Amino acid sequence: MIYRFRIILDNDTEDDVFRDIEIRENDTMEDLHNVITQSFGFDGMEMASFYLSDEQWNQGEEIAMLDMSEAGNEVKMMSTTIIKDLIHEASTRLIYLYDFLNMWTFYVELGEIVEEAEGTDYPNLMFVHGQIPDEAPEKTFEAEEDDDDYNEFEDDLDIDDYSDLDFDENWN
């Protein structure tokens, strides 16, 4: 089967920038990474990762280009993860980050699954819309607003009264 994806650049401009691609279900996430970088005109030499995503585009489990995890924290690798094992009708969205210094961010969504067309080479760039800007769109990282008015320094301890503290709490 053939998976049709729409890859949309996350930018805050009025101009949409996206690519529609087709790729075989048995190809790897590394193959998907390669077709995305090529279709947007990148050289593909920067670090990148995919992240599973939900309907609200929340970032989930990582599928990494290189294993930089510590022992015991196994990470799925692009080169060994088959697309159909990750993406299907119940899980259709990914976030793709390319070039961790510039943080090019893309939303990847499965549009449909179709039969392979005879005479078509895959992966296949089906449609191009918009030009990628010269520089990655600037990201602003903000914490979500919390109504609890949490103050990390409010712990009901009198900082001038050390008699109630045991040894471990006094030790620095």
Side-chain angles (χ1 to χ4, degrees):
M1 299 300 289
I2 300 301
Y3 280 31
R4 289 184 174 160
F5 287 100
R6 174 159 285 173
I7 300 94
I8 305 168
L9 174 65
D10 178 18
N11 65 0
D12 292 332
T13 67
E14 293 180 14
D15 300 326
D16 290 333
V17 179
F18 65 89
R19 307 290 185 261
D20 291 343
I21 61 150
E22 295 177 312
I23 191 165
R24 288 185 176 93
E25 67 179 350
N26 291 323
D27 285 343
T28 66
M29 295 302 293
E30 184 173 39
D31 296 325
L32 182 58
H33 153 77
N34 289 334
V35 72
I36 291 172
T37 58
Q38 291 168 9
S39 69
F40 281 97
F42 295 119
D43 63 12
M45 302 305 291
E46 301 296 332
M47 291 291 298
S49 283
F50 286 98
Y51 297 89
L52 292 177
S53 182
D54 60 15
E55 293 297 315
Q56 288 76 41
W57 294 105
N58 293 311
Q59 184 173 311
E61 180 183 5
E62 179 180 15
I63 301 88
M65 178 184 268
L66 298 174
D67 188 358
M68 297 174 47
S69 63
E70 297 177 10
N73 293 336
E74 298 301 317
V75 170
K76 288 183 180 175
M77 302 303 302
M78 284 186 203
S79 60
T80 58
T81 303
I82 304 299
I83 294 172
K84 72 176 182 179
D85 294 340
L86 203 63
I87 302 297
H88 42 79
E89 286 89 351
S91 176
T92 61
R93 293 182 173 191
L94 297 165
I95 297 171
Y96 174 68
L97 291 180
Y98 177 75
D99 185 355
F100 292 160
L101 293 178
N102 290 306
M103 297 295 286
W104 290 96
T105 305
F106 299 86
Y107 299 113
V108 180
E109 186 166 19
L110 177 65
E112 62 183 335
I113 302 172
V114 297
E115 294 286 333
E116 189 167 334
E118 198 172 312
T120 302
D121 290 329
Y122 298 99
N124 177 35
L125 177 60
M126 296 172 47
F127 186 75
V128 173
H129 181 81
Q131 292 297 316
I132 195 145
D134 292 335
E135 294 182 10
E138 197 169 309
K139 301 282 181 253
T140 55
F141 298 97
E142 296 177 6
E144 292 181 16
E145 292 293 323
D146 193 6
D147 295 334
D148 292 342
D149 293 324
Y150 174 73
N151 184 344
E152 65 182 305
F153 299 109
E154 287 183 12
D155 52 15
D156 296 329
L157 291 176
D158 182 357
I159 61 171
D160 297 321
D161 182 14
Y162 292 106
S163 62
D164 291 339
L165 301 176
D166 65 18
F167 176 79
D168 289 333
E169 290 177 283
N170 279 309
W171 186 257
N172 275 338

